[in-house]
Amino acid sequence: MKPNKVFHASLITIVMIYLFIPLVATFLYSISTDWYRTILPEGYTLSWYKELFTDPRFLDAMQRTLFVCFLAICISVTVMVPTIFIVTVYFSRWERTLQGLVMLPYAIPGVVAAVGLIKLYSSGPIVLSGSIWILIGAYFVIVLPYMYQGIRNSMRTIDAIKLVEAAELLGASRMQAFWKVIFPNILTGIIVSTLLSFSTLFGEFVLANLLVGGHYETMQIYLIRRMSESGHLTSAIVVTYFILLFALSGIVMRLGKSSSKEGSR
Amino acid sequence: MLSLLPFAFLVLCFELLPLLVMVLESFRGDGGVGWGLEQYTKALTSKYYLQGLSNSFFISLCASAVGIVVALFAAYSITRFSQRMRDFLLMLSNMTSNFSGVPLAFAYIIILGSNGLFTLLFKQLGWTTLASIDLFSWFGLVCVYVYFQIPLAILLLYPTYYGIHQQWRESAALLGASTVQFWRYIGLPVILPGVVGTFSILFANAMGAYATAYALVGGNYNLIAIRIGSLVAGDVAARPELAGALAVILAITMVTAMLINEWMMRRVRRELG
């Protein structure tokens, strides 16, 4: 047993070191003064972060990303929660169709999705190409699987169909059954889906670049444009982006854990 | 009923119609004139696009193979730790699985680019072969792709190991089976569908990857995803018909991979159930 333990521990340590080298290197790079002659940085500084956070271009790009993600997710939540609720409770024979529609984006990579979107909206009756609306529409589609999984699972956990039946037996209207009984119970699921969708969209590059790249500089586009200019500044962007992402996934994990505990009770 | 309209509208406008337009477009002649298989013939006979397809295919194949082999051992090792440690290791894998696309490409330029930290280190140590790794080549792309495959493969493969019950190992050991025999005749057959399924997801993931490659090599390296991107929004004149045909070919490869996964997962579930 003993040598086995040592083997597993060392294997995992090596894999984890491998996985963390790029992260650690980027972090060190973002706080170093000069680092191209020596093995370790020549000195440490926070000036890259100072430069970054006073750069109006960065703040604008951040704002744009947050705006687009926020809008796409708001639309998604307002549309998907009632849709999933109605299909689950009242039209269960359409469940397979809904599932097929929302899972399809999983199999369609961004470049493929972009081809049709560009063609469809660059000429003809509705011209959206280059505007943020085409991006928001595309983002709505990207987050469909995340939204569906999270919300559908929490409805299944609370047994939404039975709850609604009980509420209606007791004289509640459909609206009341939804708002007073179902909604408070699936709120955690909605929040988890929202945050997961947010972290996916936050790092989205392909569609942003192909659909609106020239006109609308989001974080990822700002990042790739800065890459050729200053490595240190770019690492500061990457680190900032990651801290945000880790914070988000931390919250998701915590919420996910507490909701699954509630479910098993 | 009426409340389902917004969903139907959005899905139609941004998911179904664009896909339909893309497929229709792929059957048109250049400039949208006439109908036919012209674009597919072009895509599948032109040396240039065939090379893009085969580059994507082999890079994805290699990166997924390395990823799955590493994950096969790593995921098993994780199952050998205490509950707290397992959660912690899975959290770390989850964290690093977010590291892909443009930020990942950038990190690799820092560590393995021509002035990268490891390149410097290898030079000082005199390891010239390692120091001369060209990040912007076939091999370099595989290295970067492997990085985002490993955490994903660990997360997908980890649950599969719980299909192997502790009692089986004890019974096998009691009946005189060695560890090698146990894995050969019991362990591997049980996890095999899960492994194949995970592999197909990794493969699809790598085939569709655009951001990482774009950030690393721009339009310079011939990959199918990059070709599609530059045909619809590149500096050269847009050719949506050809882009459509290439996109359909890429989508078919990916959907096939996903279907294999679906089919394999059903087998796993049946065996576990």
Side-chain angles (χ1 to χ4, degrees), chain A residues 8 11-12 19 25-26 35-36 39 80 83 86 98 101 104-105 109 111 115-116 119 121 140 227 231 242 246, chain B residues 3 7 10 13 15 18 21 25 74 77-78 80 95 99 106-107 111 117 120-121 124 147 210 214 225 228 254:
Chain A
H8 291 307
L11 185 100
I12 280 298
L19 289 179
T26 311
W35 196 7
Y36 57 91
I39 299 290
M80 292 312 289
T83 303
I86 292 169
L98 178 66
L101 283 176
L104 187 63
V111 250
V115 175
K119 178 66 198 166
Y121 295 113
F140 170 82
M227 240 165 89
F242 257 86
F246 287 164
Chain B
S3 350
F7 172 76
L10 285 169
C13 286
E15 184 182 356
V21 166
E25 206 58 27
S77 292
I78 292 179
R80 303 280 94 192
M95 253 164 94
F99 201 26
F106 173 73
I111 50 181
L117 314 174
L120 278 179
L121 183 70
Q124 295 206 345
Y147 180 90
Y210 171 85
Y214 182 82
I228 297 173
M254 292 189 55

Side-chain angles (χ1 to χ4, degrees), chain B residues 20 81 99 111 120 131 146 175 179 194 240 260:
Chain B
L20 183 73
F81 287 100
F99 201 26
I111 50 181
L120 278 179
V146 164
L175 293 169
T179 315
I260 294 177

